Amino acid sequence: MKKFLVFLVAIVVVVCIGLTTYYFLRNDEAIDFKTKEIYCNVGDVITLDDLGYTVFKEHKDTTYNFNAGGEEVTQFINYNEDRGYYVANKGGEVNLLITTTNEKYAEFNITVHIGDGSVANPYYIDSQSDLQKIGDTYALNANYTLRTDITLSNDFRPIGYSYAVETYLGFSGVFNGNGHTISSLNLTGTEYANAGLFTTLNAGSVVTDLNIKDVEISGAYQTAGALAGTVNGTVSRVQAVNVNIANTMNNSKTGALIGSLSGENSTLTISSVQDAVLTIGTAPTAENPTVSTITGIAGGLVGEIDKAKVQATFADTEISLYNASGDIGGFAGKLIIGTNNGSIQESYSVSTSTYANFGSFIGTIEKDGSFVAENANQLRHLVGNYVLASSGNVVNSYDDTFFTRGFYNEADGIYSIVQFNNLADMANNTEYVFY
């Protein structure tokens, strides 16, 4: 019996030692990298926190290989052991591999998209800080894609500034808004002549699929618009809502979306402005009862369209003038028709103004050649000033009261703007050949 008790005690001791050893040597840590996909740009630093790294009951013997993908991966993104973070080195898409010595959490795979400004790998914009890198760290002629909505702060500098030469050169690249919204653009600065989210969109530039909301621009600018002061490129699918622009510059061009759209290769399509207010000139006050009279060009969508093409667009803008005059139109202040281009197609305006020479659709049309109208009085409602040698190439465009359509008369070879009382009459017209 005594031997049995000794044997039993020995078993209990062995079990206790075994349980104690297991308790102190067991590895029940839990490791995770919650982020499965990350977007960054060349030069960006990516921390483990960015990758969603978490560990529970960390085990002292567990080791990591953060560059487990080898040179095939590290040429794109490399982990700096000393500093404890990754650096994105090269544009492209790569599968980041992280391995551990914990067999339960042997490896993790994270897809990393790295932008370098190329067509295939555009720079990814996620913040105002990223926007302000355009013209600084990122080139003004690179490709960009917006990945999230952004609310701007009051210290935002319009896109188009080159930090290398310390002046505004304008944007020459491609900016894809991806359907996202940039809000709270507030500009009162005097360092730039052209005011907007972009100062100038140069020839070859493209801006698409962008929403702009809550815009406040006030000052003296050569050109001003929610999107850009001046556009010499391509704009498509851009919508602006709640826009308030006050321009006190003499001989300025102001539009709720674009101040000046210029060039035979420039286009504006499938875009609109709603709930916009334009103020041209300065209202006298008790403190400043005498103000200078100015002249300007202002339109509900675009200030001046110079030999450019506009199609499928809409404007809802209230335009006020104080001690000011000029070419003022509900859609465009001025349309200049060139040899090969200068047209407005399939567009609509419900803009209003109390200005006496207000053209509910266009303030002034200009073009070499001849211009005829079916009814001059009705046309004057649509076009405020038609002191022009012009053939109007305004197609399928109308305001909320009068309807017009551009036609080409084969008999005499003259373009016409023809006024109708309603859309049905315009659609059923047989007198003119639709151009």
Side-chain angles (χ1 to χ4, degrees):
M1 184 65 177
K2 184 177 180 182
K3 290 183 178 180
F4 174 75
L5 291 175
V6 171
F7 177 72
L8 184 61
V9 169
I11 291 177
V12 171
V13 170
V14 169
V15 171
C16 289
I17 293 174
L19 290 173
T20 302
T21 301
Y22 171 75
Y23 178 80
F24 285 104
L25 297 181
R26 67 178 179 172
N27 184 352
D28 60 350
E29 71 177 346
I31 304 170
D32 194 14
F33 289 86
K34 298 183 185 303
T35 303
K36 305 306 177 188
E37 192 169 30
I38 193 167
Y39 290 81
C40 60
N41 297 314
V42 169
D44 282 355
V45 167
I46 301 113
T47 67
L48 296 184
D49 286 341
D50 294 331
L51 300 181
Y53 169 69
T54 59
V55 59
F56 179 71
K57 291 187 178 181
E58 182 177 9
H59 196 276
K60 62 182 180 63
D61 293 330
T62 299
T63 60
Y64 295 79
N65 184 352
F66 292 105
N67 287 320
E71 186 177 351
E72 184 178 342
V73 175
T74 57
Q75 63 176 315
F76 291 92
I77 182 169
N78 184 56
Y79 188 74
N80 187 313
E81 293 282 356
D82 294 333
R83 299 188 176 183
Y85 56 67
Y86 287 92
V87 177
N89 302 316
K90 179 181 176 181
E93 180 181 319
V94 65
N95 182 42
L96 177 62
L97 177 64
I98 300 172
T99 60
T100 83
T101 54
N102 185 324
E103 294 182 356
K104 293 188 295 182
Y105 304 97
E107 68 178 45
F108 297 89
N109 293 276
I110 301 169
T111 302
V112 182
H113 307 268
I114 306 172
D116 59 9
S118 65
V119 174
N121 307 297
Y123 285 123
Y124 300 108
I125 303 298
D126 291 293
S127 65
Q128 176 173 321
S129 176
D130 289 338
L131 284 174
Q132 300 288 232
K133 291 178 182 178
I134 302 175
D136 184 11
T137 309
Y138 307 150
L140 287 166
N141 62 350
N143 295 268
Y144 298 86
T145 185
L146 186 61
R147 294 191 59 250
T148 187
D149 295 346
I150 296 176
T151 300
L152 302 175
S153 61
N154 289 339
D155 61 351
F156 175 76
R157 169 178 263 169
I159 300 169
Y161 184 80
S162 170
Y163 288 80
V165 298
E166 298 183 344
T167 191
Y168 283 91
L169 300 180
F171 181 77
S172 302
V174 176
F175 190 96
N176 181 356
N178 227 6
H180 292 294
T181 300
I182 295 178
S183 303
S184 301
L185 175 65
N186 192 333
L187 302 178
T188 58
T190 58
E191 63 183 271
Y192 35 87
N194 307 300
L197 179 65
F198 297 84
T199 55
T200 301
L201 293 175
N202 297 326
S205 63
V206 179
V207 176
T208 62
D209 295 292
L210 177 65
N211 301 309
I212 305 171
K213 186 176 72 171
D214 301 334
V215 175
E216 292 283 342
I217 299 175
S218 62
Y221 305 106
Q222 293 176 8
T223 64
L227 175 65
T230 299
V231 173
N232 299 306
T234 299
V235 175
S236 180
R237 299 183 185 277
V238 175
Q239 284 74 43
V241 178
N242 193 21
V243 175
N244 192 340
I245 301 177
N247 198 348
T248 60
M249 171 74 77
N250 191 33
N251 297 318
S252 63
K253 300 172 184 178
T254 308
L257 187 66
I258 296 169
S260 172
L261 178 67
S262 179
E264 294 189 347
N265 294 319
S266 299
T267 61
L268 170 64
T269 59
I270 318 175
S271 300
S272 66
V273 167
Q274 296 183 62
D275 299 327
V277 175
L278 299 185
T279 304
I280 308 302
T282 304
T285 62
E287 294 77 14
N288 186 23
T290 303
V291 295
S292 301
T293 300
I294 67 169
T295 298
I297 298 172
L301 188 74
V302 181
E304 180 180 83
I305 302 169
D306 185 358
K307 305 178 187 66
K309 180 180 179 180
V310 177
Q311 185 173 17
T313 53
F314 169 74
D316 176 10
T317 302
E318 178 184 334
I319 306 175
S320 299
L321 278 73
Y322 295 98
N323 296 291
S325 62
D327 303 320
I328 313 298
F331 184 86
K334 191 173 189 177
L335 169 65
I336 301 174
I337 303 175
T339 303
N340 300 313
N341 213 341
S343 64
I344 303 170
Q345 302 177 3
E346 301 166 346
S347 297
Y348 178 60
S349 170
V350 293
S351 300
T352 59
S353 177
T354 57
Y355 180 56
N357 290 324
F358 175 71
S360 63
F361 196 72
I362 301 171
T364 296
I365 299 179
E366 291 184 1
K367 182 187 185 299
D368 294 335
S370 59
F371 180 88
V372 297
E374 183 73 4
N375 184 310
N377 290 329
Q378 290 184 346
L379 178 64
R380 190 164 185 80
H381 174 85
L382 191 77
V383 180
N385 303 295
Y386 56 103
V387 182
L388 21 104
S390 170
S391 62
N393 186 13
V394 180
V395 183
N396 275 358
S397 298
Y398 50 90
D399 70 359
D400 61 333
T401 306
F402 293 88
F403 302 87
T404 188
R405 195 171 193 176
F407 294 92
Y408 179 72
N409 190 315
E410 292 182 324
D412 55 21
I414 297 176
Y415 291 100
S416 302
I417 290 182
V418 180
Q419 189 73 54
F420 297 96
N421 292 324
N422 54 60
L423 286 175
D425 288 349
M426 184 173 78
N428 295 329
N429 171 77
T430 57
E431 181 179 355
Y432 288 85
V433 178
F434 176 64
Y435 174 74

